[in-house]
Amino acid sequence: MSETAFTFAQRVSRLKPSMIRELMKLMGRPGLVSLGGGLPSAASFPAEALRAAAQCVLSQAPREALQYATTEGLPALREWVAERLRQRGLAVQATQVLITSGSQQGLDLVAKLLLEKGAKVAVESPTYLGALQAFAPYEADAVEVACDEAGPLPESLHEVAGARALYLLPNFQNPTGRCIPDERRIAIANQAKKQGLALIEDDPYGDLWFDQAPPPPVAAHWPEGTVYLGSFSKILAPGLRLGYAVAPAPVYDLLVNAKQAADLHSGTFAQHLVIELLRTGMLDTHLGEVRAQYCLGRDAMAQALHSYMRDLATWQVPQGGMFFWLTLAPKIDAAALLPQAIEQGVSFVPGVAFFATRPMHHSIRLSFVTEPADRIEQGVAALAQVIRRALATQSGQAQ
Amino acid sequence: MSETAFTFAQRVSRLKPSMIRELMKLMGRPGLVSLGGGLPSAASFPAEALRAAAQCVLSQAPREALQYATTEGLPALREWVAERLRQRGLAVQATQVLITSGSQQGLDLVAKLLLEKGAKVAVESPTYLGALQAFAPYEADAVEVACDEAGPLPESLHEVAGARALYLLPNFQNPTGRCIPDERRIAIANQAKKQGLALIEDDPYGDLWFDQAPPPPVAAHWPEGTVYLGSFSKILAPGLRLGYAVAPAPVYDLLVNAKQAADLHSGTFAQHLVIELLRTGMLDTHLGEVRAQYCLGRDAMAQALHSYMRDLATWQVPQGGMFFWLTLAPKIDAAALLPQAIEQGVSFVPGVAFFATRPMHHSIRLSFVTEPADRIEQGVAALAQVIRRALATQSGQAQ
């Protein structure tokens, strides 16, 4: 008899739990000011509208809404996504839209098609942690593209020549909050096209703008070379687990096959609920409310950072999305401060979690959408104190 | 500029669409008697109970039900699964239960952990097509274990020594309807244990028994070596996309990491709905109704087969589940009959879809749960006519 019935595939060594998901377990601590997780504000969920939608769907079409469905997703939802993207400047047909179980699944499926051992995938620096996690089991090596405040540097893309794809999050990026300007999008698309470098464009936050909508997607400038991923998590509710992938024809068919093997199709009932919600026309009003609420959070955090942190960190004020990105003094190791911060009643995510290869240890991601304004101020003040104490201790040690 | 931005991973050549899912598109044809797909009866969905549950959940806990959740699944649901499995003879703790997006995702995640190029995975002959699909992208080679009417032959397991796992569907198997007897389960578990051969036990149909519940899971005889997969699709509704995986500790942690990378977690709202349904205690009554209804379908099909097919095919009458498996005359290629059958108003699935390596072309899978009794008879009569005509034509050609 063998003790070890299980022999694992080599890729298992690449599987790592997310630092953020591990943090979420701590964040259940009562009273903790959560500036850590990327949880959308629960106050923004359209619970009443969903209640009405559930009644409607389960009265009018219970058999369809509870049955298996086609892998591609429900036609009405695919059509809605295509129309919405057309309004944003991306020429898309419903036949190119695959409904996914959140945009995280879109990342997994694209990685399954494109990545393998010995291949490279290029990412921003820093980049979305969940993308690094999704790519990891496929054993490609993630390489970082040089970035400035406006995003990846087009002239640096030649350094990742031969990569299977460049993963981009152009709108209010997680973690930096950065929005890539239109000219830069065009330059990146042109350079990628020249190199034959495929793009994976991830856009969960594009609708969460404060003053003006972001420029058209990068995909608009190179549709044949881009897989575009979107999500209903940040505009309706993450608990429905619905997102979408848009891809040019040959990639699309493979994505559908991969999706079918992975989970047959996404939730039928959840898709019916969202179709019913969208049919009522509530989305634009709802989005207006979410934007106004998140803008208040952004303003509260900008104010609190100015009050408590202006000698401790630098940052850009984000024009949408959910996050501030702080750069501290280089001698600070943000991860080492986390236990003290939690003790002082505030959580954050150490920036080191978001780098593929060259971690910046003195960086921090703060979310401004989970907590109300007064608690944001309280959390930032507590965090400032922790950082200040660390700086004092280190100065003391240096003497 | 490159025409081909996309360079695909080698595994892409293994991705195939499911014959059944392709068939489902044909099955939308109005009037067609569907003996093809494995769709549970829509009449069996607890739509009214779900309507009440949706009201309750969205009134009482909308924020929790619509938010992100932990990867493992909601504690109350994991606890329910563990308790249910303990009642069935499997010693399980809630900490070993991972909620998945249908049991199809369980197959994908287990394959991701265990399979890779150059590895082997053993399967029954025939076996569930969706498992072959889930395994394919991981590039292992599927090998068939010799089977008789009672399931895999324990003495044949040495022929698949070195395989990463044996995939088994012991209760009312898809496609054969076969239920492995208790003694055989014990013999298989003992032999697997002796060889150090891991088991993947898939059990979507175990609750759909007619006269008596099936024996305890194979996992009960070798819990340290088995990953057990279950589903809410066949006992509540597939459109919720909820299933579960139960695994010994070291495998469990890796499964959670793989799940997190794949889609973060399964639908929070759907999990809350199911918890609320189960809390009301409706499941056992509901299951009694589903069993009674499916038993009527089984009886109708047994009667129809006896009336129209007794000189055309052989079969075992299934004691649960959803399927009959017919063996026709060896000269019949069932797949070639499908277009004529659809023209005659009836669909079926050619058995060839369910074999990993040695297809049996003269076999057919029929579902008895999608259609009412009178249409089952009508469909079987039409199919008999198609087969009879094919036999006559072939005899004519042979002359």
Side-chain angles (χ1 to χ4, degrees), chain B residues 387-397:
Chain B
I387 297 170
R388 207 172 292 283
R389 204 179 304 153
L391 284 168
T393 310
Q394 295 205 348
S395 301
Q397 286 171 345

Side-chain angles (χ1 to χ4, degrees), chain A residues 11 21 55 68-69 112 239, chain B residues 11 21 55 69 112 234:
Chain A
R11 76 177 67 82
R21 308 285 302 180
Q55 287 311 291
Y68 285 113
K112 197 178 252 182
Chain B
R11 76 177 67 84
R21 307 285 303 180
Q55 286 312 290
K112 197 178 252 184
K234 308 304 190 295

Side-chain angles (χ1 to χ4, degrees), chain A residues 220-243:
Chain A
H221 308 295
W222 196 31
E224 319 82 52
T226 308
V227 177
Y228 175 93
L229 305 176
S231 175
F232 291 99
S233 292
K234 309 303 190 296
I235 65 173
L236 290 175
L240 300 170
R241 306 307 302 129
L242 288 179

Side-chain angles (χ1 to χ4, degrees), chain B residues 51-245:
Chain B
R51 207 140 77 97
Q55 286 312 290
C56 179
V57 167
L58 288 172
S59 311
Q60 291 177 7
R63 290 170 172 234
E64 293 76 9
L66 299 174
Q67 189 55 282
Y68 285 111
T70 54
T71 300
E72 291 84 348
L74 297 184
L77 193 55
R78 297 165 71 202
E79 190 48 75
W80 184 89
V81 168
E83 175 56 29
R84 183 97 175 164
L85 291 176
R86 284 194 293 266
Q87 287 167 12
R88 294 187 47 197
L90 191 57
V92 170
Q93 301 305 313
T95 50
Q96 294 174 264
V97 177
L98 170 67
I99 302 299
T100 59
S101 303
S103 67
Q104 183 74 24
Q105 189 186 41
L107 292 169
D108 175 61
L109 297 177
V110 178
K112 197 178 252 184
L113 297 189
L114 298 182
L115 304 187
E116 63 195 325
K117 205 167 195 164
K120 285 191 297 182
V121 57
V123 299
E124 295 174 276
S125 172
T127 189
Y128 169 52
L129 169 61
L132 295 176
Q133 269 195 294
F135 299 162
Y138 300 103
E139 301 181 276
D141 296 310
V143 293
E144 291 178 353
V145 168
C147 298
D148 65 11
E149 302 78 27
L153 296 164
E155 61 271 27
S156 293
L157 291 191
H158 71 270
E159 291 167 18
V160 297
R164 294 288 171 90
L166 166 61
Y167 169 70
L168 279 175
L169 209 163
N171 291 330
F172 319 122
Q173 195 220 24
N174 180 355
T176 61
R178 172 177 69 202
C179 187
I180 303 179
D182 202 30
E183 321 79 70
R184 181 67 67 90
R185 292 178 191 228
I186 295 169
I188 291 170
N190 286 343
Q191 182 58 34
K193 197 191 279 189
K194 205 186 280 177
Q195 294 182 205
L197 176 66
L199 300 177
I200 305 168
E201 179 172 18
D202 192 8
D203 187 15
Y205 310 110
D207 281 306
L208 303 180
W209 48 267
F210 302 144
D211 295 321
Q212 61 176 17
V218 181
H221 308 294
W222 197 30
E224 319 82 50
T226 307
V227 177
Y228 174 94
L229 304 175
S231 176
F232 291 98
S233 292
K234 308 304 190 295
I235 64 173
L236 290 174
L240 299 171
R241 305 309 301 128
L242 288 179
Y244 45 89

Side-chain angles (χ1 to χ4, degrees), chain B residues 275-294:
Chain B
I275 289 168
E276 179 56 24
L277 277 189
L278 298 172
R279 201 190 56 73
T280 65
M282 58 72 78
L283 185 66
D284 286 328
T285 315
H286 174 68
L287 271 178
E289 291 164 6
V290 177
R291 282 182 199 126
Q293 183 192 333
Y294 284 12

Side-chain angles (χ1 to χ4, degrees), chain B residues 13-34:
Chain B
S13 64
R14 306 265 192 143
L15 291 173
K16 297 279 185 302
S18 151
M19 184 190 279
I20 297 181
R21 307 285 303 180
E22 294 303 302
L23 273 175
M24 275 180 73
K25 294 179 185 172
L26 292 178
M27 290 193 283
R29 236 172 103 150
L32 195 72
V33 176
S34 172

